[in-house]
Amino acid sequence: MRVNLGETVLRINISFAAAVTLTLIVDESGLCATAFFCCVIHEMGHIISLMFLGEKPKLIELSFYGVKLERFGASGIKSLGEIIIYASGPTANFALSALLFVFGNTDGTKTAAVVSLCVGLFNLLPCQPLDGGNILKFFLDRHAEHRKCEKICFCISCLIIAPMAAAGFILLLKSGNITLLAVSGYLAAVTYRKEKSMDFF
């Protein structure tokens, strides 16, 4: 599905719609719906900061692999602005979490606060395509050749995903909780997809 929002194009892939629909149907606890809401807040943080700095997104694409923001060609945003854009997503989650902790008076709001906090912290991991990984790559690009930076970021991503997947597998065996393993699988799929597009060898 494609929707024109002025100069911005919103594209929703069928994989995203199917994944969200299936998750919301299967999940009886409402936790997935809460996590989805926190992810929306996260992405809104990125979009609002981008527009605040004077630039509109050219394309917002929702797919199984996450949200892709494509920007117009040349950007007038300086280095500090780029860091602000990457950091604004986790910051939005931390702000939401703080508000819910302070003003929330139900178990549901407390749970949402924890989920929002976890979403923010998770996205700060130095693993692409997460915000922490993009911030790391931004700094590496300023001090080393681009292709080398890509390789370093890929290796760091693998070093994070491997123990996370192992911990997720142990958690699944002990408690039946598949969340961490599923997140690790998602990151592995995205990292592999990115590695194939970079053509390292």
Side-chain angles (χ1 to χ4, degrees):
M1 184 175 72
R2 177 189 175 106
V3 180
N4 291 325
L5 305 172
E7 298 179 352
T8 304
V9 175
L10 173 64
R11 183 185 300 159
I12 304 176
N13 290 351
I14 190 170
S15 61
F16 174 82
V20 171
T21 301
L22 180 62
T23 300
L24 294 179
I25 290 175
V26 173
D27 176 47
E28 297 180 354
S29 66
L31 194 60
C32 288
T34 301
F36 178 73
F37 172 74
C38 293
C39 289
V40 171
I41 295 298
H42 178 94
E43 298 302 333
M44 288 301 298
H46 288 307
I47 294 171
I48 290 172
S49 65
L50 183 64
M51 297 181 70
F52 180 79
L53 291 170
E55 185 178 328
K56 293 181 179 179
K58 179 181 180 181
L59 171 69
I60 303 174
E61 183 176 7
L62 309 180
S63 73
F64 172 77
Y65 294 100
V67 179
K68 174 185 177 183
L69 290 181
E70 183 178 316
R71 296 157 65 176
F72 289 96
S75 173
I77 297 177
K78 304 302 181 183
S79 299
L80 178 60
E82 296 291 344
I83 299 299
I84 289 173
I85 292 170
Y86 288 134
S88 58
T91 301
N93 287 127
F94 297 149
L96 174 62
S97 181
L99 287 173
L100 292 175
F101 270 125
V102 172
F103 298 106
N105 54 8
T106 66
D107 290 340
T109 53
K110 299 298 184 184
T111 299
V114 173
V115 171
S116 185
L117 178 63
C118 290
V119 170
L121 291 173
F122 172 74
N123 277 278
L124 285 178
L125 289 174
C127 175
Q128 287 192 300
L130 302 179
D131 299 315
N134 286 324
I135 292 173
L136 173 64
K137 183 177 179 298
F138 178 83
F139 283 113
L140 288 175
D141 274 336
R142 298 172 65 86
H143 301 287
E145 189 265 332
H146 179 73
R147 188 179 179 85
K148 184 177 181 180
C149 291
E150 294 282 9
K151 290 183 179 180
I152 293 173
C153 289
F154 174 73
C155 291
I156 292 175
S157 296
C158 291
L159 290 174
I160 292 173
I161 294 171
M164 186 185 296
F169 184 70
I170 294 172
L171 184 64
L172 176 63
L173 293 178
K174 287 188 174 182
S175 64
N177 190 322
I178 198 175
T179 304
L180 186 57
L181 186 60
V183 169
S184 304
Y186 163 76
L187 284 178
V190 175
T191 301
Y192 176 76
R193 185 168 179 258
K194 183 175 179 59
E195 183 270 342
K196 294 295 288 184
S197 68
M198 287 188 288
D199 189 26
F200 278 165
F201 306 106

